[in-house]
Amino acid sequence: MKEWITDHDIRQKVLAKEFHITEAVMSHYMTGHSEVTVDVLVKFAKRSGLSMDYLVGLTDEPTPPVRISLHEQELLEGIRTLSGQQRELLVHIVHFMNRQNQKEKHDPSGAAPSV
C-alpha cells in the first residue's frame, strides 16, 4: 500500500478520510505498527485497482485476473484440445477477423469489406 500511495503522490490524510478511518490509524498501517483491516484492504484494492492477493503478498502480479464468462471458458477448453498447428491457424483467423472489424469501424461508407 505504502509504495502505491507514494508512487501516486496521494496523501494519507485523503485516504484516511476516504476509508473512514483516522489519520493516526492510516499512519499506523503505513508504518507497520498496525495490521490493515480487511475492510480497509478491500477499499484500497478497489481504489488502487490492485488485487487483494497482491496486497496480502500471495502473488507478485498486481492486477486482478481477468474474469471470463462461461462461454469463454468453454472456448478455452475447446482450444486446449487442438493440435499446435490448429491453434496457430485459429490465431491467424482471429487476427484476420480483428483486422476486418477494424476496417469496418473505419470505413466511412459503411460497406462491408470484401473477402
Side-chain angles (χ1 to χ4, degrees):
M1 284 177 57
K2 186 176 182 177
E3 183 180 323
W4 187 89
I5 291 168
T6 303
D7 288 350
H8 290 82
D9 199 27
I10 296 173
R11 296 194 108 79
Q12 291 180 22
K13 181 181 191 176
V14 172
L15 289 180
K17 187 174 182 175
E18 215 175 284
F19 298 162
H20 306 289
I21 58 175
T22 66
E23 290 177 46
V25 169
M26 189 68 184
S27 177
H28 285 285
Y29 290 161
M30 295 300 102
T31 58
H33 288 102
S34 297
E35 291 290 319
V36 182
T37 63
V38 172
D39 179 53
V40 170
L41 272 176
V42 169
K43 289 175 184 177
F44 186 77
K46 288 179 180 178
R47 169 77 153 76
S48 65
L50 299 172
S51 75
M52 289 289 290
D53 285 349
Y54 179 75
L55 291 173
V56 297
L58 294 177
T59 182
D60 292 332
E61 182 58 44
T63 54
V66 175
R67 293 210 161 111
I68 61 173
S69 69
L70 183 57
H71 183 69
E72 291 167 325
Q73 287 176 357
E74 291 170 354
L75 284 170
L76 285 174
E77 289 170 13
I79 290 168
R80 289 181 178 146
T81 66
L82 302 177
S83 70
Q85 188 176 11
Q86 289 170 324
R87 287 183 195 172
E88 193 172 319
L89 178 59
L90 187 56
V91 168
H92 289 293
I93 292 169
V94 169
H95 285 298
F96 173 78
M97 291 175 150
N98 284 333
R99 285 192 304 272
Q100 255 188 331
N101 289 342
Q102 289 303 314
K103 287 178 185 176
E104 286 178 18
K105 284 181 185 177
H106 299 329
D107 182 3
S109 71
S114 58
V115 180

